[in-house]
Amino acid sequence: MPEPLSFQAPKGTRDVLPPESGRWRALVDVFAELAEAIGYGEVVSPMFEDIGVFARIGENTEIVGKEMYEFRDRDDRHLALRPELTASICRAFAQHRPPMPWKIWYQGPLFRYEKPQAGRYRQFTQLGAEVLGTEDPHADVEIIALARRFYDALGLRQVRLDLNSLGDATCRPAYLDALTSYLAAHEGELSEQSRATLAANPLRVLDSKREADLPVIAAAPLMVDFLTSEPAAHFQAVCDGLAALGIDYRISPRLVRGLDYYTMTTFEFAADALDTAQNAVGGGGRYDGLVEDLGGPPTPGIGFALGIERILLACDAEGVFDGPSGEPDVFVVDLTGGREALRLTTELAAAGLRVDRAFDDRSAKAQMRAANRSGARLAAIVGDAEVDAATVEVKDLESGDQTTVARADLAEHLRRVVT
Ligand code: HAM
């Protein structure tokens, strides 16, 4: 006999089962409501794209260099499972040319071949929002405020906002020169990994958390000191806008993000309730050259993405946002062999109640046990006598009280009790 097959979800992926899946959907609903209230519409884009769409994330970034799930399809097209959504959104913008400003939100799975650990997965899910077609600093503020409002709506109290500006083409080259000379002069003090990063992308050395690198990074030149007048004024306007809305932030001049397309405003949200290695619960910024690089007209853009799995971990750590219980309002206990349960569950669900039942013509006792286990507030018990009298016995599973209710009034009666 061959061994029976046994499979596990692939490493770095997770099954989301009820009731957690209900909490998950409730979280997406909170986000959708906040985003749609200020004019953002949902975009659903493909989970795989031509691999070229992701080139501007940066050949030397971890995401593109080491983590992309790439493959060739049967017609030898070179494709990749999307490792992030901003590039896909810019590709969609370049393709469809919608009216601007284009304000959109999205949700969906992303794929990165990372080393899995708590809060770091190979398939994870983001919620995000993007605004394409405006350089207005108020768009930056609107985007950041949307993310902030979302964390607040979940009840999270320990999420910090770090803010930086990475400048633009008028100031970045001078800064990169200064940074590169400084890091080259201190190369011997850097970790081996940072020496390799230095050759490929000096800016990303600032992102190192390795002990050896910290003193060198602490004294490195800062982008904010190199901002020319326009990017400096833009950054100031973003800071002023956040202050006007009462949004706390910390300027983090060494904040660089793990993707290369950023210009000007960049930001990250960190959850203090999580371990520092996985405490980034969201991040984003401006990417004013990305649409053009993907074949569209020069179009500024700003947005963010937030990791759902990490946000839920932060909610667990802070003891907030339990999500809906997923429990039925009423459990039908049927002593007629199942016929009445079929009718009653259909009728009650149509009347807007959450309803469940047992199968397999179980004994009254077994059905009552199932009713209690389901978490339902009420049991609707129906046997031949109730059918003859056109009534139903309604038992309150918390108090044990039982009442006889006319079948015609049942839905109304149950609704009154559960709301
Ligand atoms: P990102 O910083 O790479 O940015 O990812 C955003 C968020 O996704 C992170 O802050 C984190 O919460 C979550 N995340 C990232 N990788 C993982 C993982 N392996 N497991 C679990 N969660 C993860 C972007 O993706 C940009 N597209 C954001 C953006 C939008 N920039 C402008 N617009």
Side-chain angles (χ1 to χ4, degrees), residues 56-58 61 63 83-86 112 166 201 204 256-262 266:
R56 271 286 277 120
I57 296 170
T61 59
I63 297 176
E84 63 113 37
L85 261 149
T86 310
R112 297 182 190 175
L166 293 179
N201 185 348
R204 294 208 41 77
V256 288
R257 307 251 311 118
L259 308 93
D260 282 355
Y261 50 58
Y262 289 112
T266 44

Side-chain angles (χ1 to χ4, degrees), residues 63 83-87 106 110 112 114 119-126 128-130 257-259 261-262 268-269 280-287 302-311:
I63 297 176
E84 63 113 37
L85 261 149
T86 310
Y106 52 76
L110 293 308
R112 297 182 190 175
E114 302 217 50
R120 191 174 294 278
Y121 308 102
R122 290 184 175 167
Q123 178 177 329
F124 60 98
T125 319
Q126 286 181 345
E130 316 279 349
R257 307 251 311 118
L259 308 93
Y261 50 58
Y262 289 112
E268 237 164 50
F269 289 94
V281 286
R286 278 207 164 268
Y287 42 87
I302 173 140
F304 64 74
L306 319 173
I308 292 186
E309 292 84 352
R310 281 191 200 172
I311 291 174

Side-chain angles (χ1 to χ4, degrees), residues 317-378:
E318 289 200 33
V320 298
F321 196 68
D322 292 336
S325 73
E327 290 167 352
D329 299 317
V330 53
F331 197 97
V332 176
V333 172
D334 177 305
L335 309 173
T336 71
R339 191 186 63 240
E340 288 307 306
L342 200 58
R343 290 206 187 112
L344 270 181
T345 48
T346 310
E347 272 170 41
L348 296 178
L353 287 146
R354 296 165 65 97
V355 54
D356 202 356
R357 56 165 292 185
F359 290 108
D360 300 320
D361 197 15
R362 316 262 304 277
S363 69
K365 212 165 138 200
Q367 291 189 57
M368 282 310 291
R369 260 202 314 271
N372 279 306
R373 230 185 1 247
S374 75
R377 168 81 194 281
L378 301 166

